[in-house]
């Protein structure tokens, strides 16, 4: 019988896995560092494959600590840092490194949209402020500076969605992330 719940969090610096009972009692926890990449001024990225390997390693370790197998897990929840973006093709393969929510490369895109009066329209539609590390503005930057990546990309998702994709084989997101262009 499945007696445990597994939580996975891909945060800004660590990937974490925690195994708990349905009552919320912690059984095992593991963390793995996730390297941040800085390929340019204001750029903060993460290698999606390295993040996935860290996730698998952390999950494997908590299950070994608890001496359980997958049939003992009733449910899994994936979380991660907000905003940023992960670009994947129709097969779920990354088309570039993931962009982290601390990235500022799309500042020129936001400034351009502001000059053209598009920010007010975006705010009214999205019901939130627009800033450089949102998937909407990052997609604008990628379309302008990396058109070959934009052409190969089928889905724009966020960090937690990439983990869910790898766990389930399905692309999904939630409404709040989709509202900012995810």
């Amino acid at each position: 019988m499945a007696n445990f719940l597994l939580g996975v969090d891909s945060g800004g610096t660590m990937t974490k896995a925690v195994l708990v009972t349905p009552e919320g009692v912690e059984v095992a926890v593991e963390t793995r560092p996730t390297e941040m990449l800085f390929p340019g001024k204001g750029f903060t990225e993460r290698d999606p494959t390295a993040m996935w390997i860290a996730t698998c390693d952390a999950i494997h370790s908590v299950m070994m600590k608890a001496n359980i197998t997958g049939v003992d897990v009733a449910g899994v929840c994936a979380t991660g840092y907000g905003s940023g973006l992960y670009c994947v093709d129709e097969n779920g393969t990354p088309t570039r490194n993931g962009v982290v929510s601390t990235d500022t490369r799309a500042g020129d895109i936001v400034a351009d949209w502001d000059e053209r009066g598009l920010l007010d329209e975006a705010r009214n539609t999205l019901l939130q402020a627009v800033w450089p590390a949102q998937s909407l503005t990052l997609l604008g930057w990628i379309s302008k500076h990396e058109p070959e990546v934009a052409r190969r990309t089928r889905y724009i998702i966020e960090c937690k969605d990439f983990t869910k994709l790898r766990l389930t084989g399905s692309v999904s997101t939630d409404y709040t992330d989709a509202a900012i262009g995810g």
Side-chain angles (χ1 to χ4, degrees):
M1 182 172 158
N3 294 318
F4 301 97
L5 302 170
L6 176 66
V8 179
D9 177 45
S10 299
T13 59
M14 291 285 189
T15 295
K16 299 160 274 301
V18 62
L19 195 63
V20 298
T21 67
E23 298 77 30
V25 176
E26 183 180 293
V27 176
V29 176
E30 283 291 327
T31 61
R32 297 294 182 271
T34 310
E35 181 182 8
M36 191 74 71
L37 307 171
F38 304 98
K41 184 176 178 172
F43 293 28
T44 53
E45 299 184 354
R46 176 167 294 146
D47 176 346
T49 302
M51 184 180 75
W52 175 240
I53 291 168
T55 300
C56 292
D57 190 37
I59 291 171
H60 180 261
S61 291
V62 295
M63 294 182 72
M64 295 300 289
K65 275 184 174 179
N67 196 28
I68 66 165
T69 66
V71 298
D72 299 310
V73 177
V76 179
C77 178
T79 64
Y81 60 84
S83 291
L85 89 159
Y86 283 69
C87 300
V88 296
D89 66 15
E90 65 279 349
N91 299 313
T93 303
T95 58
R96 67 170 332 281
N97 281 336
V99 180
V100 181
S101 56
T102 55
D103 194 280
T104 60
R105 78 183 73 195
D108 63 328
I109 299 293
V110 175
D112 176 60
W113 292 354
D114 190 29
E115 277 182 29
R116 297 188 305 159
L118 299 174
L119 281 189
D120 288 336
E121 182 180 337
R123 282 187 202 106
N124 291 336
T125 302
L126 302 173
L127 302 177
Q128 58 183 291
V130 176
W131 50 287
Q134 287 175 316
S135 53
L136 179 65
T137 51
L138 289 167
L139 182 56
W141 187 93
I142 288 169
S143 294
K144 180 178 179 180
H145 298 281
E146 297 178 355
E148 72 291 346
V149 169
R151 280 191 292 279
R152 291 192 330 262
T153 298
R154 171 83 165 124
Y155 302 104
I156 302 295
I157 55 179
E158 293 200 11
C159 176
K160 67 171 175 30
D161 304 321
F162 182 76
T163 301
K164 288 189 309 182
L165 168 61
R166 288 294 171 98
L167 288 169
T168 67
S170 296
V171 175
S172 66
T173 193
D174 62 62
Y175 294 115
T176 58
D177 292 338
I180 57 171

